[in-house]
Amino acid sequence: MKKRVKPTPDSVLKMLKDGNGRFVAGESTFPHQDAARLAKAGSEDQGDHAYATVITCSDSRVPVELVFDAGIMDLFVVRVAGNVCDTDEVGSIEYGLAHVDTPVMVVLGHTQCGAVTAVTHAVHGKGHKLERNIPPLVDNIAPAVKRAIHNNPDVHGDAIIPYAIEENVWQGVEDLFMKSPATRKLVKRGKVNVVGAIYDVGTGDVKWLPTEKVDAILTKVEASPDKETKAYADAH
């Protein structure tokens, strides 16, 4: 079977926005969920169908395919508490971009994020004891919380959490670019768009964050990649 031509990144973004619009309006079409699609999933390559990679939180209030009115083989989804981009997540994202050939990468945060809330409380000195594996899981979030506090000195207590949630999306973008020269290369070649967004668990609406910020983060990372990613880039 001939490999299908994927839509452009701009077209995919429109598909995601239109799908979310239908979801919010209660007009979802629930595409690609019938027996015919299942048969294709069992016989065809997902790389011929999936159009976006999404990393988001494990939170049960964030049903990714429903949010974008998508179906089977439409989205390559990576889920982890706090939508952090650490080694395992970045490796999964690289597979979605380079092997499943998705033209868009979405770092999707959400309102009322428990992981960001927990880290915010810890930074404020109000945290409670966590199970042994949770602190190293969410340690990527701490810089985002501290940046939110620094940038918003007039905001105090839990009121800083929405700001930290947005900063955590940007932290995820930066961590992805820092750890993945392959992703940076795809973006620079125009084959992939990386975008940040925040899902409102109370309304279903996805707020899309400024693309200019992604460009600025990429420029920053390119100017000072860590030793590991620089060695990879030099070798490839």
Side-chain angles (χ1 to χ4, degrees):
M1 178 177 173
K2 185 178 179 180
K3 189 174 181 65
R4 302 186 184 196
V5 177
K6 292 292 183 72
T8 65
D10 286 345
S11 296
V12 170
L13 279 172
K14 185 177 187 305
M15 292 165 64
L16 293 170
K17 292 176 180 179
D18 289 349
N20 181 242
R22 294 192 299 272
F23 174 69
V24 172
E27 299 173 352
S28 295
T29 59
F30 303 104
H32 302 154
Q33 298 180 29
D34 57 7
R37 189 66 166 187
L38 284 171
K40 285 187 176 182
S43 62
E44 297 184 9
D45 187 341
Q46 65 170 327
D48 291 338
H49 298 276
Y51 51 81
T53 294
V54 181
I55 182 166
T56 194
C57 189
S58 299
D59 196 301
S60 61
R61 296 170 294 178
V62 189
V64 183
E65 281 82 3
L66 294 179
V67 166
F68 294 114
D69 195 22
I72 297 166
M73 285 200 299
D74 285 338
L75 305 178
F76 186 86
V77 181
V78 183
R79 300 190 68 155
V80 61
N83 41 273
V84 297
C85 288
D86 220 331
T87 302
D88 291 347
E89 295 79 29
V90 171
S92 298
I93 290 168
E94 288 181 335
Y95 189 85
L97 299 181
H99 297 274
V100 184
D101 195 29
T102 57
V104 166
M105 167 68 219
V106 183
V107 179
L108 182 65
H110 71 92
T111 59
Q112 302 179 36
C113 181
V116 174
T117 298
V119 174
T120 301
H121 288 169
V123 170
H124 283 154
K126 299 192 304 181
H128 57 81
K129 187 175 181 180
L130 299 172
E131 291 75 14
R132 66 179 294 179
N133 295 296
I134 294 180
L137 168 65
V138 299
D139 60 359
N140 295 57
I141 300 173
V145 173
K146 293 175 181 177
R147 191 160 55 245
I149 293 171
H150 178 268
N151 292 341
N152 301 278
D154 296 330
V155 181
H156 305 289
D158 283 0
I160 199 66
I161 292 172
Y163 298 90
I165 287 170
E166 180 168 336
E167 286 294 343
N168 188 48
V169 171
W170 298 130
Q171 187 66 47
V173 172
E174 182 171 341
D175 289 342
L176 171 61
F177 283 152
M178 187 64 75
K179 293 175 179 291
S180 178
T183 299
R184 300 201 307 267
K185 184 181 292 186
L186 288 168
V187 171
K188 289 188 295 181
R189 289 179 176 176
K191 293 187 175 182
V192 170
N193 277 7
V194 174
V195 296
I198 297 175
Y199 173 69
D200 190 318
V201 300
T203 67
D205 186 56
V206 173
K207 171 189 173 185
W208 298 92
L209 300 179
T211 56
E212 295 83 2
K213 180 79 170 180
V214 176
D215 297 336
I217 292 171
L218 178 58
T219 299
K220 171 188 171 184
V221 171
E222 285 280 293
S224 58
D226 62 23
K227 292 180 181 179
E228 182 180 349
T229 56
K230 187 177 187 303
Y232 178 94
D234 290 345
H236 293 76

